[in-house]
Amino acid sequence: MNKNIDALACQWIEENKESVISDWMELCRIPSVVSDPVGDAPFGLPAKEALCFVDGLYKKYGLNSRNEDNYYLISEYGSGDKRIGVFGHADVVPGGDGWIYTKPFEPVIIKNTLIGRGVEDNKAGVIASLVAVRILRDMNIPLGSVVQGFVGSAEEVGMEDISAFLEREIMPDFSLVPDASFPCCIGEKGIFRIFARCRDGFTAIKEFKGGECINAVTDKTVARIDFSTALYDEMLSRGEVERITVERDGDFILVTAKGISAHASTPESSINASYLLSGFLGGLEALPEGDRSIMKTVNHLLSDTTGEVLGIAFSDDIFGALTAANGMAFCKDGHLNLTFDVRYGKDHDGAWVEENISKSLDFYGFDTYDGDDMRAIYLDPKSEMAIGLTSIYREISECPEAKPFCMGGKTYASMLKNATAIGTFVDKERDEPEMPAGHGGVHSPDEKISIDGFFEAVRVLVQYIVFIDKQLNK
């Protein structure tokens, strides 16, 4: 770590901290969930609004930027033959239900902790990238490379933004993606996603709906069922069932299950609401036999997150165990559809996952469609970059045991040459608001980030850029 540069970064942060927080919160008020294309907004109007807002911030602070057809934003600072990329995204997953401290797009600060959808994933990364460049410029920190900032608007739903970047722009020589953890990620699992449609249709169940995105386990699922006295009485006779509520709605019965959400890369920490609801409905004798059978099958399919039921369980020495998460359930033309998000390691590929999961789902009466795959990546933990970044982080964070890691999450790094995902905050023991299980994380209710931890991460990012610049130009 260059201590003189760190002192300059700390001075800048102290002088500009409040305005940075204000910009950050304003960005987080934009509900930038990807939606259907509208006019010149390929990922919907809210995603465009967020991208344009960031574009305005760059220009407000005297930095060049260009908006590429509302797919992504590019800004370049410095000069030289080498390029250092810093990649973030302004789109977010849906707000979801069950928030305690605030509404999803009404960010608040409690105990020096920022709470709101996207405050970490990944608007913290977007703001950190902008702030790092402002520090480099304002404090006259010399560089021999161009810092190429990228802000995407569709990272959470297929990364068409980065695909457009790859077609149009110059690939950086090395890239940082502040969208994970510190000190740096040396491996990202592959992701295979697929939809499945039950061949048998429902009779009494008119709707079974849970989840808003494929890459987060749902915390709420609702079934709407034709009313019958026998069925309603049987439900009520069960008494209070944990996480299940029953109510009559005219000619229908509404049954709601409340689970605990989690990112699809860590489904073991979740309670899938669709699993709970299918288990409840599958045990009702008054439900038509066909509907009851479908619910029992669904409950079995969603009963584990290791891929064992789906015929794809395996583990390797680098990434550990495969995970399989169900994110969405919905009815179309009377048939239930499910989604599966599989995170796999280095010993298999998407073709193997697709072949085996399709066979298993076929056995259980489901046809698969719309499969999509992103390969796993793995970097050398003994490279100069990995060792240098880790050393810098250990010094700033005062965490001497920190080491490079692999993860189940997927970032832009997997699409780039010579890239690593890093953190958006330095994780330390802090006095923060208490969060119940399933709250506080990315893609969860009450998503949060330590403000002090964020500014410490900005210091790390500045040092990383300076270090990479020296490595590229030595």
Side-chain angles (χ1 to χ4, degrees), residues 192-197 210-218 272 302 310 324-330 336-342 357 361 366 369-370:
F192 180 79
R193 291 170 175 160
I194 200 163
F195 289 72
R197 177 182 184 272
E212 298 180 84
C213 57
I214 198 169
N215 59 347
V217 179
T218 182
N272 188 328
L302 307 186
L310 297 170
N326 159 248
M328 299 167 62
F330 59 93
L336 180 64
N337 292 252
L338 302 172
T339 67
F340 293 94
D341 182 311
V342 178
I357 196 173
L361 288 167
F366 281 76
Y369 63 99
D370 287 353

Side-chain angles (χ1 to χ4, degrees), residues 43-54:
F43 308 116
L45 293 175
K48 173 188 172 182
E49 181 184 356
L51 204 63
C52 290
F53 178 81
V54 178

Side-chain angles (χ1 to χ4, degrees), residues 413-449:
S414 64
M415 306 285 283
L416 300 167
K417 179 185 73 174
N418 300 327
T420 182
I422 61 172
T424 55
F425 68 98
V426 172
D427 192 10
K428 291 181 180 178
E429 189 73 26
R430 305 178 194 272
D431 181 22
E432 297 182 351
E434 293 185 5
M435 294 283 179
H439 287 244
V442 299
H443 296 198
S444 299
D446 297 303
E447 179 179 344
K448 67 179 178 67
I449 184 172

Side-chain angles (χ1 to χ4, degrees), residues 97-100 117 217 219 243 259-263 269-271 435-447:
D97 298 319
W99 289 64
I100 297 172
R117 175 60 77 229
V217 179
D219 61 356
R243 298 185 176 276
I260 295 177
S261 182
H263 192 283
S269 63
S270 70
I271 298 177
M435 294 283 179
H439 287 244
V442 299
H443 296 198
S444 299
D446 297 303
E447 179 179 344

Side-chain angles (χ1 to χ4, degrees), residues 25-34 46 50 90-96 99 102-108 115-119 121 123 212 446-447:
M25 293 181 73
E26 192 66 24
L27 176 59
C28 291
R29 292 188 181 98
I30 302 172
S32 49
V33 179
V34 173
D91 63 301
V92 298
V93 298
W99 289 64
T102 186
K103 295 179 181 179
F105 298 104
E106 297 179 8
V108 296
I115 302 172
R117 175 60 77 229
V119 297
D121 185 17
K123 292 174 179 179
E212 298 180 84
D446 297 303
E447 179 179 344

